[in-house]
Amino acid sequence: MGSEEIITRMAIGGSLPVANVQALASTYSGDIPLRFVRPELHSEEVLVDETLQIPTMDMRKLMVDDDDEMGKLHLACKEWGFFQLINHGVAEAVEEKMKADVQEFFKLPLEQKNAYAKQPNAMDGYGQNLVASEDQKLDWADMLFLQTLPTPERKRRFWPEEPTSFRETLDKYSSELVKVLNCLLQPMAKNLAINPEQFAKMFEDGRQSVKMNYYPPCEQASKVLGLTPHSDLGGLTLLVQVNEVQGLQIKRNGKWIPIRPLPGAFIVNIGDDVEKLSNGEYKSIEHRAVVDPEKERLSIAAFHSPSIIGPITKENGEKYKS
């Protein structure tokens, strides 16, 4: 497939069909299929210094404009592009129910999950990340991707009916995340010396989508990736770890840093759109997911995109065009 065709396929959201990874992981023996093997992993350095971690922000302090916390947030967005958020206000019961329902969905038989399979030229549904060509390397993962906002654009046909509470749970979770988003936008705008209402308005009619990830164990975990290195396209991503298995890594100074999620915290990262809105002051950072040789890993990522993209701060000259 030529580069022009790949770009076209990516633009319209189409994805080539590939094997279910959860089913493959439960049945394969011997060598991993070549499309999953990543030779470059052996030459990339992963830091083992456990003292080097992304900053942690306290939402309660941010909401009262605590000077120290505001400064820490500004530095985190400029130098790391990632931070962990504690005391975020989402009820523990809502978060835990979302985690439980996601776990139950991925435990369903493949036939039941496939009832919500992605369709050609569509993003919503159960399956794998975008596969644009026959020779593309594949992620060792399955996922359920659902657009949650704007509400009229929800494709309910892909919202699982099993477990029976899933749809209601996701609806509540979606609403709670919007509250967190709005609370974060205020201190970020103040740090960027822009009008908080103007900044929030850009996200008001934007999009929210939720991607639920299942990374099966792999005996040869050092040869595969759960998620290909990338930066997020949207504005802000809120990630929650479903179980205790780690896998997220971010790239800093040319090296990969494993992230240790704090219990109950959201991992927040800057997306490409906020990098543009901040005229490059805030950074959208490359990250990836590795897999465990013995245990499955699950996570839930919620992407929030503004309806308007382009720099609203031009202090150092306009680096991005609207």
Side-chain angles (χ1 to χ4, degrees):
M1 179 182 290
S3 59
E4 190 173 305
E5 189 175 349
I6 291 174
I7 292 171
T8 300
R9 186 178 290 278
M10 294 177 71
I12 63 177
S15 183
L16 296 172
V18 294
N20 179 271
V21 183
Q22 188 175 2
L24 174 64
S26 66
T27 58
Y28 91 98
S29 60
D31 293 334
I32 299 168
L34 284 176
R35 289 190 69 185
F36 291 97
V37 177
R38 308 288 187 119
E40 70 275 11
L41 293 179
H42 296 289
S43 61
E44 296 184 337
E45 184 175 354
V46 178
L47 289 183
V48 292
D49 182 0
E50 295 190 357
T51 63
L52 187 62
Q53 283 294 302
I54 57 176
T56 298
M57 302 293 114
D58 188 330
M59 180 72 93
R60 291 176 184 167
K61 294 181 179 179
L62 291 174
M63 295 311 297
V64 295
D65 292 345
D66 179 275
D67 288 341
D68 288 341
E69 205 70 9
M70 293 284 284
K72 284 171 57 182
L73 175 67
H74 196 43
L75 199 64
C77 294
K78 288 176 62 175
E79 297 191 359
W80 286 88
F82 270 81
F83 58 88
Q84 301 205 53
L85 185 67
I86 61 174
N87 295 324
H88 44 67
V90 176
E92 183 179 1
V94 173
E95 186 177 335
E96 291 304 314
K97 181 59 176 169
M98 188 73 251
K99 293 179 183 179
D101 281 3
V102 167
Q103 287 179 307
E104 287 303 310
F105 172 78
F106 282 110
K107 287 178 182 177
L108 293 174
L110 179 57
E111 183 179 355
Q112 283 185 256
K113 293 196 289 281
N114 275 340
Y116 308 102
K118 288 185 175 186
Q119 301 300 303
N121 302 333
M123 294 296 291
D124 285 64
Y126 172 68
Q128 288 76 36
N129 275 324
L130 176 71
V131 180
S133 70
E134 295 288 354
D135 57 358
Q136 177 181 326
K137 287 295 184 179
L138 301 178
D139 293 337
W140 193 261
D142 298 319
M143 59 115 162
L144 175 64
F145 182 94
L146 298 171
Q147 183 172 304
T148 43
L149 294 173
T151 303
E153 295 185 24
R154 290 178 176 178
K155 297 177 175 62
R156 301 279 288 187
R157 174 250 183 277
F158 297 102
W159 287 47
E161 295 180 329
E162 291 290 337
T164 55
S165 57
F166 185 96
R167 293 183 172 189
E168 181 181 356
T169 300
L170 181 56
D171 185 59
K172 289 181 180 178
Y173 188 69
S174 167
S175 297
E176 290 298 308
L177 293 188
V178 171
K179 296 176 186 178
V180 176
L181 172 71
N182 289 333
C183 288
L184 276 175
L185 293 176
Q186 295 290 320
M188 289 174 65
K190 292 175 182 177
N191 278 336
L192 289 168
I194 57 180
N195 187 320
E197 291 185 7
Q198 180 189 7
F199 198 37
K201 185 70 175 176
M202 290 184 158
F203 285 83
E204 193 172 282
D205 299 317
R207 293 180 179 274
Q208 180 197 68
S209 54
V210 178
K211 180 168 167 274
M212 292 142 274
N213 305 297
Y214 179 88
Y215 305 98
C218 180
E219 292 179 2
Q220 301 177 57
S222 62
K223 295 182 178 181
V224 304
L225 278 176
L227 185 59
T228 299
H230 68 289
S231 62
D232 289 349
L233 295 174
L236 283 180
T237 303
L238 303 179
L239 176 79
V240 66
Q241 187 90 356
V242 174
N243 59 359
E244 301 305 313
V245 181
Q246 299 176 21
L248 175 65
Q249 297 180 348
I250 70 168
K251 200 165 195 178
R252 182 173 170 84
N253 298 325
K255 300 174 183 179
W256 292 103
I257 301 176
I259 302 304
R260 296 195 311 275
L262 298 173
F266 283 119
I267 297 175
V268 182
N269 67 278
I270 303 297
D272 296 349
D273 290 345
V274 163
E275 180 171 318
K276 294 173 184 176
L277 289 171
S278 69
N279 201 30
E281 188 166 3
Y282 287 176
K283 300 297 188 290
S284 179
I285 300 298
E286 189 177 16
H287 52 285
R288 70 181 187 181
V290 298
V291 301
D292 191 89
E294 299 178 352
K295 300 176 182 178
E296 64 186 14
R297 174 177 177 257
L298 296 94
S299 65
I300 305 169
F303 308 98
H304 301 85
S305 302
S307 55
I308 303 172
I309 302 172
I312 51 177
T313 172
K314 305 177 183 178
E315 185 175 336
N316 300 313
E318 188 170 343
K319 298 178 183 178
Y320 300 92
K321 301 296 182 182
S322 301

